[in-house]
Amino acid sequence: VPSVNKLIKPKTRSLLGVFEEDAAAISKYSQQLFQAMHRIYDAQNELSAATHLTSKLLKGYEKQRFPLCCDDEVMSSTLQQFAKVIDELSSCHAVLSTQLADAMMFPITQFKERDLKEILTLKEVFQIASDDHDMAINRYSRLSKRRDNEKVKGEVMQDVYTSRKKQHQTMMHYFTALNTLQYKKKMSLLEPLLGYMQAQISFFKLGSENLTQQWEDFLTDIGTSVQNVRREMAGEVDVMQQTIQDMEQANDLLYMPDPDPSLVPVNRNLTRKAGYLNTRNKTGLVSSSWERQYFFTQGGNLMSQARGDVAGGLVMDIDNCSVMAVDCEDRRFCFQITSFDGKKVAILQAESRKDCEEWIATINNISKRIYLSENPEEIAARVNQSALEAVTPSPSFQQRHESLRPSTQGRPPAARASSVSSAGSETASPALSVLSLDALVAPNTPIQFDIISPVSEEDAGRAKAAGLGRRTNPFGESGGTPAEESEGSILHQLFFARFLGCMEVQNADSSDVIYETMRQILAARAIHNIFRMTESHLLVTCECLKLIDPQTQVTRLRFPLSSVVLCAAHQENKRLFGFVLQTAEGMVDGRPIIVCYIFESNNDGEKICDSVGLAKQIAFHSEMDLEEQSRLIAAFSRPTPLAAGTDGQFLVLSNSQSEDSDAGVEGREKGESEA
């Protein structure tokens, strides 16, 4: 510490500057060290809190309900053991945090807040005292030599004394603090480090005491289990990678929007399907827009789900519906679904021809309610297999019985036939014998799928030849109006029917001919991908059967009731029914033309057949009454009547039955004459 006489020496000032520079460097370094140690302390506190939170979460694992994980007691117990260990570690970390606060943070904080701040305060006080001393010296130097200034001189000398004393005292305390700082600097660096290391040693000792050999064995077992799971996962990943490569190679063709049907066959056995389709929405009278939505079938319902929707909505009920491919002007691969009552129509577009055909086949299977059976896809496959067998000719069968087939040279031209015919319609069902097939359906018989009727053409020709002068309806109406022909009829029943097809048959002896015709037509429709069906109203009266357009009420087809000789419904699918029509005017090879018509209805086919049978009975009794009245007037030849079966089938009476009927009539006439 310099004396009073050395206060003004430049050497002292220079030495003071060195000490002050050193104090500033110590203050800067101590501040950085304090920040680093404070980060350690904060990190330790965060680690202690995070460890405690981890232990708490592991304890609550058994209360979690994961959607893809069932209750695993082994996993729960293992995590409970880990929670116990981590809880002990959390306690150790809490003890370490307390020790770091006491042994590391307290010494360096005290050095920073007390010693360094004291140096700064003394420096400011010393600077003020030096300035006051300089001002007092300047005033003292300017004192005058006159005696009248004694009072002022005394005041100035007193100021010099006071300022010099104050400066000297401040300087001694300031220099002492600067000298002491050199010792405190060493302690402020070593004490926090010593406390940090001692706290860490205590922490590790505490951990080694808690983590005994039992925990080491437990951790070793868990490590082995983790390695096994890792190896199992690696093997599973290899298998999945190989599966992905195989699927990429196998599905390479499916990446194309419209794959080749010969390479990617159509699956017609589906009773459920889902995928993206474009649906047409009307925006005006003639304008429309297309919207892409996700469609899927759910039981007998067609559902759709737009992007962003949580669940799907009902589009329509596809039970008993009709589905067919349609041509749109601006889109390809379109098909139309019409509800069973015809009130709702949906036009959809698929991505490819294969997808379109699969949707049509799936909806067609659902419409027939195949999905209600126990094994719907198996039944659909069996139906498709039966259809394939029905149209696949057997070479040995064809060579074996080719000589038994009648000649087709005398057959009328194909103007009566449809534009689509089955190439394998001569193949017989396994349930029928070889000869019975030719006895039921003529070989190479074309199948008619549209609504053109040979009977209507013949009736129109006969009317034209007779010169009746009836006006031709441009919409295809034939015969009289519905009001004219149904007027006075006792029976008048209306059914909803869809025309499947018709074909010429050989005879009408039994209902097997209708079953065989159903099989042939359904098989041909499946092979030729014909799903469109003409929807009509079937009107049953005592005079005729009519097919009427449901919208225009135009009569499409008219069948005289006397020409209907046989009617039957399918034995398994009750919605299918058919009847055999026999015309006496047209003859082929000396026999009348017999045509079998097949329909599908929303009603029970047996009810329709019963209605036709009732009409036949009413017509038969009416004819018998007319004949009875005619016999009273004159004797006419009695034609062979037709008997009506109770099951809806109509057969021509045999000779014995005719004789019995004649005998009964003669008996009645004899009794009447005697009366």
Side-chain angles (χ1 to χ4, degrees):
V1 179
S3 61
V4 181
N5 297 328
K6 298 180 180 180
L7 288 178
I8 58 175
K9 288 185 177 180
K11 184 177 180 181
T12 304
R13 296 281 186 182
S14 178
L15 184 61
L16 178 61
V18 175
F19 273 83
E20 289 179 346
E21 184 178 357
D22 183 74
I26 293 175
S27 177
K28 182 178 179 181
Y29 181 79
S30 300
Q31 180 66 24
Q32 295 176 353
L33 184 62
F34 172 80
Q35 293 177 355
M37 291 186 175
H38 200 278
R39 289 183 62 183
I40 294 176
Y41 177 68
D42 292 341
Q44 183 61 39
N45 290 335
E46 180 64 24
L47 179 60
S48 177
T51 307
H52 179 70
L53 178 61
T54 303
S55 175
K56 183 178 179 180
L57 290 175
L58 292 179
K59 291 179 181 179
Y61 175 83
E62 58 184 4
K63 299 180 181 179
Q64 301 295 323
R65 294 296 178 264
F66 299 100
L68 298 179
C69 182
C70 58
D71 295 337
D72 191 352
E73 296 181 357
V74 177
M75 189 68 178
S76 298
S77 61
T78 303
L79 292 182
Q80 289 295 328
Q81 294 292 332
F82 270 110
K84 186 177 180 180
V85 178
I86 295 177
D87 203 6
E88 295 180 0
L89 289 177
S90 176
S91 301
C92 296
H93 283 293
V95 173
L96 177 60
S97 299
T98 304
Q99 292 180 351
L100 290 179
D102 296 337
M104 181 181 71
M105 295 306 301
F106 179 74
I108 194 170
T109 303
Q110 190 177 19
F111 174 72
K112 174 176 173 293
E113 298 294 334
R114 188 184 64 181
D115 298 333
L116 294 179
K117 281 188 176 182
E118 183 183 3
I119 296 294
L120 295 176
T121 303
L122 291 175
K123 181 178 179 181
E124 293 177 359
V125 173
F126 173 71
Q127 187 66 35
I128 294 173
S130 298
D131 294 339
D132 292 342
H133 178 262
D134 292 340
M135 292 175 62
I137 292 296
N138 290 332
R139 289 178 62 189
Y140 178 76
S141 299
R142 291 196 299 270
L143 286 176
S144 177
K145 297 179 180 180
R146 292 179 297 181
R147 292 183 176 272
D148 54 357
N149 293 331
E150 291 294 332
K151 183 178 179 179
V152 177
K153 181 178 179 182
E155 293 177 358
V156 172
M157 291 180 64
Q158 185 64 33
D159 289 341
V160 171
Y161 170 79
T162 303
S163 62
R164 181 171 293 178
K165 182 177 180 180
K166 182 179 179 180
Q167 181 188 19
H168 187 255
Q169 291 177 351
T170 304
M171 180 181 60
M172 288 189 295
H173 289 289
Y174 181 43
F175 288 0
T176 302
L178 289 176
N179 292 329
T180 310
L181 182 62
Q182 300 301 318
Y183 298 97
K184 292 181 178 181
K185 174 180 67 174
K186 299 177 182 179
M187 293 186 296
S188 64
L189 295 179
L190 296 178
E191 285 183 353
L193 295 177
L194 180 61
Y196 172 76
M197 295 305 300
Q198 289 178 349
Q200 292 291 342
I201 292 173
S202 300
F203 171 75
F204 287 118
K205 286 183 178 180
L206 187 62
S208 62
E209 293 176 357
N210 293 331
L211 297 178
T212 58
Q213 185 67 29
Q214 178 182 358
W215 291 117
E216 293 180 359
D217 297 339
F218 169 73
L219 296 177
T220 302
D221 295 339
I222 296 300
T224 304
S225 300
V226 170
Q227 294 298 326
N228 294 334
V229 173
R230 189 181 299 277
R231 285 193 296 268
E232 183 179 354
M233 181 188 67
E236 187 69 22
V237 168
D238 294 339
V239 173
M240 288 190 292
Q241 292 293 338
Q242 185 63 36
T243 303
I244 291 174
Q245 294 179 2
D246 297 340
M247 292 180 65
E248 288 179 352
Q249 295 176 359
N251 299 330
D252 186 65
L253 295 175
L254 299 179
Y255 297 144
M256 296 296 296
D258 188 14
D260 189 357
S262 60
L263 300 178
V264 183
V266 178
N267 187 1
R268 305 184 186 278
N269 307 331
L270 300 175
T271 55
R272 293 181 300 174
K273 189 168 177 61
Y276 281 95
L277 297 173
N278 292 327
T279 176
R280 189 172 71 175
N281 301 320
K282 284 189 176 181
T283 57
L285 294 177
V286 295
S287 61
S288 62
S289 62
W290 294 85
E291 182 182 2
R292 183 177 173 85
Q293 292 184 1
Y294 184 79
F295 286 81
F296 59 94
T297 60
Q298 190 175 51
N301 299 324
L302 179 65
M303 313 290 289
S304 69
Q305 184 174 355
R307 181 173 297 179
D309 292 349
V310 179
L314 177 65
V315 178
M316 68 167 59
D317 182 6
I318 54 179
D319 276 342
N320 300 322
C321 74
S322 61
V323 58
M324 59 183 177
V326 294
D327 293 331
C328 295
E329 296 180 356
D330 56 343
R331 297 286 175 133
R332 303 180 302 164
F333 314 132
C334 296
F335 60 96
Q336 175 179 310
I337 307 174
T338 306
S339 60
F340 68 96
D341 54 1
K343 295 182 179 179
K344 195 165 186 180
V345 177
I347 297 179
L348 305 173
Q349 181 197 17
E351 293 184 354
S352 62
R353 186 180 305 276
K354 169 184 175 297
D355 199 24
C356 179
E357 294 181 5
E358 285 188 353
W359 271 105
I360 292 176
T362 303
I363 296 176
N364 195 27
N365 292 335
I366 296 175
S367 175
K368 294 179 174 59
R369 297 187 177 182
I370 299 178
Y371 68 93
L372 295 176
S373 57
E374 294 183 357
N375 298 317
E377 294 188 0
E378 182 179 349
I379 294 177
R382 188 161 59 247
V383 171
N384 273 336
Q385 184 64 27
S386 300
L388 291 174
E389 292 176 356
V391 296
T392 305
S394 175
S396 59
F397 173 84
Q398 190 173 7
Q399 296 173 3
R400 179 179 175 186
H401 302 283
E402 190 172 2
S403 60
L404 298 178
R405 302 187 182 280
S407 175
T408 59
Q409 296 178 357
R411 189 173 303 279
R416 223 174 47 236
S418 169
S419 58
V420 182
S421 61
S422 174
S425 59
E426 73 263 20
T427 305
S429 172
L432 299 175
S433 63
V434 173
L435 295 179
S436 65
L437 175 63
D438 291 343
L440 295 176
V441 180
N444 299 324
T445 301
I447 300 176
Q448 176 179 315
F449 297 110
D450 52 16
I451 204 65
I452 301 175
S453 173
V455 179
S456 300
E457 294 178 357
E458 292 173 3
D459 291 343
R462 291 197 305 272
K464 184 177 180 180
L468 296 179
R470 179 175 297 173
R471 179 175 58 86
T472 303
N473 193 308
F475 294 99
E477 181 179 356
S478 61
T481 62
E484 293 174 354
E485 296 193 2
S486 61
E487 182 179 2
S489 177
I490 300 176
L491 184 65
H492 188 277
Q493 292 187 353
L494 196 65
F495 301 96
F496 186 81
R498 290 182 287 271
F499 180 71
L500 295 179
C502 65
M503 61 187 301
E504 185 179 343
V505 296
Q506 295 285 60
N507 57 64
D509 294 338
S510 65
S511 58
D512 289 339
V513 65
I514 297 180
Y515 302 150
E516 176 63 20
T517 305
M518 289 180 181
R519 188 181 67 85
Q520 298 249 11
I521 290 177
L522 292 177
R525 292 179 73 92
I527 290 301
H528 295 291
N529 298 328
I530 301 175
F531 300 100
R532 184 174 183 176
M533 294 179 286
T534 304
E535 299 177 351
S536 305
H537 287 162
L538 177 63
L539 178 63
V540 180
T541 65
C542 297
E543 291 81 14
C544 63
L545 303 180
K546 285 186 179 182
L547 287 179
I548 303 174
D549 191 310
Q551 297 181 355
T552 62
Q553 298 300 316
V554 174
T555 302
R556 293 173 173 169
L557 291 179
R558 180 183 180 277
F559 308 106
L561 194 62
S562 59
S563 62
V564 180
V565 296
L566 191 63
C567 182
H570 197 277
Q571 296 175 345
E572 296 180 358
N573 189 356
K574 299 300 182 181
R575 297 193 307 164
L576 296 179
F577 71 97
F579 56 82
V580 178
L581 190 72
Q582 180 175 347
T583 59
E585 289 79 3
M587 302 292 291
V588 177
D589 297 336
R591 61 177 180 83
I593 298 177
I594 305 175
V595 182
C596 182
Y597 290 82
I598 305 300
F599 296 88
E600 181 186 30
S601 176
N602 295 338
N603 306 98
D604 192 350
E606 292 182 354
K607 294 182 180 179
I608 300 177
C609 293
D610 292 341
S611 178
V612 177
L614 179 60
K616 293 287 288 186
Q617 290 180 5
I618 295 174
F620 174 73
H621 289 296
S622 299
E623 183 180 357
M624 292 297 295
D625 292 339
L626 292 175
E627 289 179 0
E628 189 72 22
Q629 294 176 4
S630 299
R631 289 190 191 96
L632 297 177
I633 299 173
F636 290 93
S637 58
R638 294 182 296 275
T640 303
L642 295 177
T646 58
D647 58 346
Q649 301 177 1
F650 316 107
L651 303 177
V652 180
L653 292 176
S654 62
N655 295 331
S656 61
Q657 293 173 337
S658 301
E659 292 174 0
D660 295 339
S661 300
D662 294 341
V665 173
E666 291 177 358
R668 287 195 301 271
E669 291 178 351
K670 183 178 180 181
E672 292 172 356
S673 61
E674 291 176 356

